[in-house]
Amino acid sequence: MIRAALSRRAPQSNRLFGTRRGAITKGRLSGLVLLSLFVGTTSGTDAKDRRHDAGSARCTFTPAASANESAPGLIIGAEVLLPEGSRANQGVHVRFNGSLGAVGEFDAVRAAYPDAAVLDCRGAAVLSPGFVNAHEHPGYSYAFPDLGLNPGYIHRDEWRLGTNGALPLPIPERIDYQPDDPRSAAILLAMELRHLLGGATTIAGPGGLPGVVRNIYRHRRPGDIKLYDYEADTEVFPFSFQVVEDLREECAGGPVHRFEWAAGDDLSFMAYAPHVGEGRKASCAARAEVTRYLQRVQRRDRRYSLVHGVATDRQDYAVMREFYVTLVWSPRSNLALYGETVDIRTALDSGLRVALSTDWSPSGSFNMREEVACARRAAAAAGISLSADALWRMSTFNGAYALGLEDRLGAIKPGLRADLILVAHADGDPHDAVLTATQHEVLAAWVDGRAILLSETLPESLGAGQCVALQGIAPRVCHVLSAFGLSPSMFAEHIEGTVPINGASGQAPCEAPTPLRAPST
């Protein structure tokens, strides 16, 4: 949303590279990859258990037992975060096609698949579904906040268009992936790896790469089929790009303005998750957006979510709950631009489903773990304490539900996609361990059953390809660079000055400074 000073130099520790699908199509080759990873991977060693340190974590890896035509997959043993709660001594079977198979007691799962490879981290790690970032702007999310960023805007039209005499903020150049442009590949690759290192295996929003994380957006062009794994309609502004101007007469007591809905707005087969009510509660335009949108959701024709919703109130939450509308919450971006965020206490008291999202780097969090930390602070300022379990659900299943994809991802259940994160954990709250893990505690991250991030203490055969250890980064990155024709030096050159992959330096603040700027007249 805000232009970065691209001359600003990123910290030298941002040298992290990688991709999942790269130039490979969404056909994935995941079956062949997993088969090659887990069958016959001893490389001159015997098949007995081999132990690997991961900091204080101790994991045991056993290669698959045979190399015949079967594809036994991988069993991961750990404490597992399930929809019904945390369960110790669990086994999760990752099938060769990238989906989840059996989930249950470790010994029972291993007995059911005796030939499978086994990564046994019981007592040393916790396994979680990857975070589902339900709202991002990937093509812009490489940029730092502009120096003019302030929390005094009343409505998004002010910082976007300079409405009401406000100082507009410059918009970053949008980066779209071009196969013949290594700069675009490098910048988007760094963005997606930043999110993956922060726990997100799924990002919803237009743009990104055919690689690394799972991308969600509408298929509008032939190439989108390769880029976007699943579809959701994350329309930016459902009413118009100048709502304040459109509603000026109405907000002054004049006739009610009629918005024309976009042609083709009948996509009942995919969720609708647009920006609505993005402005202070005192903004007539923001309130009008909420009112109109909540009239629309009562058609019950599709899954509806509401992104930002800063201007929502108790009555709105009652309607949203009745019609199963998820609130997609980005507290850091809300506070950085408007000086306030949703009434989270009332929203949760109303039983509303809330999903977390980062929005974009120019005013939001650099990754989902940073957004979780901001959500905790915003909730504490409202007088409530969000439990680790509640925040974890906001970051996983609720995000998938907001996108209408809860039957595909966002939980560890048989049949869902194997999008997983494994972090070192010996004691304490396992949900909190996943939410607060540092890069040194990240043991592995799988997308579609392929390990993209992998601790140097785990065998490279677990990875989606050759794994590279990079300066300043704890986990290695597997299946990297070559898919986009990049060398490490080329990648480093192209991402110079962009948001760091492994840090939060330069991130927008998560607070409501006072006093706020008075509304412009």
Side-chain angles (χ1 to χ4, degrees):
M1 287 193 237
I2 304 157
R3 188 171 219 41
L6 290 181
S7 60
R8 182 184 302 190
R9 299 177 67 85
Q12 291 299 309
S13 59
N14 70 350
R15 306 290 195 259
L16 179 58
F17 327 114
T19 184
R20 173 169 56 100
R21 298 182 293 277
I24 300 173
T25 68
K26 285 290 169 75
R28 308 229 196 275
L29 301 181
S30 57
L32 295 176
V33 170
L34 285 173
L35 178 60
S36 66
L37 291 180
F38 304 134
V39 176
T41 57
T42 55
S43 301
T45 63
D46 59 31
K48 67 182 179 180
D49 291 0
R50 294 168 298 183
R51 303 189 68 84
H52 300 269
D53 290 334
S56 60
R58 302 285 292 184
C59 297
T60 301
F61 177 65
T62 306
S66 64
N68 56 30
E69 292 183 357
S70 67
L74 169 70
I75 297 170
I76 304 170
E79 183 167 3
V80 178
L81 303 186
L82 301 171
E84 59 270 25
S86 174
R87 297 289 185 273
N89 297 312
Q90 295 290 289
V92 175
H93 181 225
V94 179
R95 302 178 65 225
F96 79 96
N97 64 1
S99 68
L100 294 172
V103 178
E105 290 295 327
F106 177 83
D107 290 340
V109 174
R110 188 164 188 183
Y113 299 94
D115 293 335
V118 178
L119 178 64
D120 186 2
C121 298
R122 290 176 296 163
V126 57
L127 185 70
S128 169
F131 299 152
V132 179
N133 188 349
H135 173 67
E136 245 287 1
H137 297 269
Y140 303 96
S141 202
Y142 63 91
F144 285 96
D146 188 81
L147 296 178
L149 177 67
N150 73 84
Y153 294 100
I154 310 302
H155 186 273
R156 65 170 176 264
D157 284 1
E158 292 192 341
W159 62 261
R160 288 182 56 249
L161 306 173
T163 302
N164 293 334
L167 178 67
L169 295 169
I171 308 298
E173 170 196 3
R174 173 169 168 163
I175 304 296
D176 290 302
Y177 174 55
Q178 303 294 333
D180 58 350
D181 177 14
R183 174 179 177 268
S184 70
I187 290 175
L188 292 171
L189 186 58
M191 177 275 300
E192 294 203 356
L193 284 169
R194 184 181 81 240
H195 282 287
L196 184 60
L197 190 63
T201 53
T202 297
I203 294 177
L209 285 172
V212 190
V213 302
R214 192 178 296 283
N215 299 109
I216 311 295
Y217 191 59
R218 285 179 61 179
H219 294 165
R220 297 177 181 269
R221 303 166 300 178
D224 289 345
I225 295 174
K226 296 180 180 179
L227 175 57
Y228 302 117
D229 299 77
Y230 302 121
E231 291 189 280
D233 190 359
T234 60
E235 180 65 43
V236 180
F237 308 131
F239 299 101
S240 83
F241 276 68
Q242 52 175 21
V243 173
V244 170
E245 187 62 35
D246 291 338
L247 296 176
R248 193 171 296 281
E249 289 189 24
E250 178 181 329
C251 288
V256 174
H257 180 80
R258 295 184 62 84
F259 290 101
E260 295 295 332
W261 290 98
D265 184 40
D266 57 354
L267 304 174
S268 59
F269 57 90
M270 69 173 74
Y272 193 38
H275 292 62
V276 175
E278 190 182 355
R280 296 189 204 168
K281 296 173 180 64
S283 167
C284 171
R287 283 295 308 149
E289 287 178 9
V290 173
T291 299
R292 283 168 165 79
Y293 187 68
L294 293 186
Q295 290 171 348
R296 178 176 178 75
V297 305
Q298 296 179 44
R299 303 192 319 186
R300 295 183 185 270
D301 58 332
R302 63 197 297 190
R303 175 71 54 77
Y304 286 94
S305 295
L306 192 156
V307 176
H308 291 305
V310 181
T312 51
D313 61 19
R314 180 184 299 273
Q315 288 70 36
D316 302 324
Y317 301 145
V319 175
M320 292 169 69
R321 180 185 178 188
E322 179 181 357
F323 291 93
Y324 305 100
V325 179
T326 302
L327 174 65
V328 180
W329 185 32
S330 301
R332 186 182 303 273
S333 190
N334 298 164
L335 292 168
L337 288 167
Y338 310 112
E340 63 183 60
T341 188
V342 300
D343 182 355
I344 190 63
R345 173 195 282 274
T346 302
L348 294 175
D349 287 347
S350 299
L352 185 64
R353 181 181 282 108
V354 177
L356 281 175
S357 71
T358 55
D359 191 17
W360 67 350
S361 62
S363 63
S365 294
F366 286 175
N367 61 54
M368 283 289 283
R369 289 196 177 99
E370 289 295 315
E371 195 67 35
V372 165
C374 185
R376 276 183 159 141
R377 292 184 61 184
I384 62 173
S385 176
L386 286 177
S387 69
D389 176 74
L391 287 162
W392 174 79
R393 292 179 187 277
M394 290 179 185
S395 304
T396 54
F397 178 84
N398 288 5
Y401 187 93
L403 302 173
L405 297 172
E406 68 277 13
D407 62 341
R408 310 276 183 94
L409 45 89
I412 295 178
K413 294 172 59 177
L416 272 60
R417 304 312 300 173
D419 298 350
L420 307 166
I421 49 179
L422 182 72
V423 303
H425 169 68
D427 52 33
D429 188 327
H431 293 92
D432 202 53
V434 170
L435 295 172
T436 62
T438 68
Q439 61 166 331
H440 300 285
E441 294 164 322
V442 174
L443 301 180
W446 289 266
V447 180
D448 228 29
R450 304 175 68 210
I452 308 302
L453 298 181
L454 193 64
S455 167
E456 64 179 7
T457 62
L458 297 180
E460 184 173 343
S461 59
L462 283 168
Q466 182 181 9
C467 298
V468 179
L470 301 163
Q471 183 178 3
I473 303 300
R476 293 168 297 170
V477 184
C478 306
H479 186 59
V480 298
L481 297 182
S482 59
F484 298 103
L486 294 167
S487 68
S489 60
M490 289 171 59
F491 180 68
E493 179 182 355
H494 287 310
I495 67 171
E496 191 70 35
T498 64
V499 168
I501 295 172
N502 60 341
S505 177
Q507 189 173 235
C510 176
E511 57 189 23
T514 54
L516 296 175
R517 176 181 65 82
S520 301
T521 58

